[in-house]
Amino acid sequence: RDGTVFDGELGGCVLAVYYGATTRSIPAQATPSRVVVLAPAETLSPELPELTDIAYVVAGTPIEAPAPFYGEANAVMVPLRQLADALHWDVQFDATTGKGSAGGATFEIGSRLYGTVDAAEAQLNAAPALEAGEVYVPLNFFRQAAGLNNAYLFEAQIVIDDEEAIG
């Protein structure tokens, strides 16, 4: 960014790539005229918020539930049973097969593939996990697989609801 020549690997870096003219083929072909490294990969360690003292608010009501944790790909993993109960969802889970369902979505422990409420398949950022007898799913399960409008972590709160979508 400051004009210094970068001779490292570009993988994982934040880049700005400038292109000139493209071909008329499909897909279009273009050669970059300039590549600017905005942030080298080694400077991109994510600042993850602490997950201690997290409050859950489900459909506008505070609830008690086991603490979340970070799973694969830094996904926020939340306890399914308590959150689904607060949403008045029927939760099914077979510990022998590791398969279950909640909110119209299906899942399997250890698999990132989910069946969604509209009978499609989604691949989420983390697989459900079984921790201390509890099924944990990534927070985005509630949006991407179960179809709710909101499921997010903000200022020490995990909020899950089907109110007007935020963001």
Side-chain angles (χ1 to χ4, degrees):
R1 185 168 16 181
D2 63 5
T4 306
V5 174
F6 181 80
D7 61 358
E9 291 291 321
L10 296 179
C13 295
V14 176
L15 307 173
V17 182
Y18 297 87
Y19 293 95
T22 65
T23 64
R24 297 185 119 193
S25 63
I26 299 180
Q29 307 268 330
T31 303
S33 60
R34 183 173 172 205
V35 176
V36 178
V37 178
L38 299 174
E42 61 271 8
T43 66
L44 296 177
S45 59
E47 292 289 327
L48 300 174
E50 288 291 322
L51 293 180
T52 55
D53 299 324
I54 295 290
Y56 292 98
V57 179
V58 179
T61 304
I63 67 159
E64 294 292 322
F69 63 90
Y70 287 109
E72 61 186 294
N74 294 329
V76 175
M77 303 294 289
V78 295
L80 177 62
R81 172 73 61 187
Q82 292 84 355
L83 303 179
D85 285 350
L87 292 163
H88 307 291
W89 288 353
D90 181 37
V91 177
Q92 301 293 318
F93 180 67
D94 183 342
T96 58
T97 64
K99 294 181 180 182
S101 64
T106 59
F107 62 89
E108 183 175 354
I109 298 296
S111 172
R112 290 175 48 203
L113 291 178
Y114 295 78
T116 66
V117 292
D118 60 2
E121 238 184 29
Q123 183 165 330
L124 300 184
N125 57 346
L130 197 54
E131 296 286 327
E134 295 274 347
V135 173
Y136 282 79
V137 295
L139 185 56
N140 68 345
F141 168 86
F142 292 91
R143 287 183 57 146
Q144 290 182 277
L148 293 180
N149 285 335
N150 297 305
Y152 57 87
L153 168 65
F154 181 70
E155 294 185 356
Q157 276 191 340
I158 290 178
V159 177
I160 299 170
D161 62 40
D162 209 21
E163 300 297 319
E164 187 173 328
I166 296 174

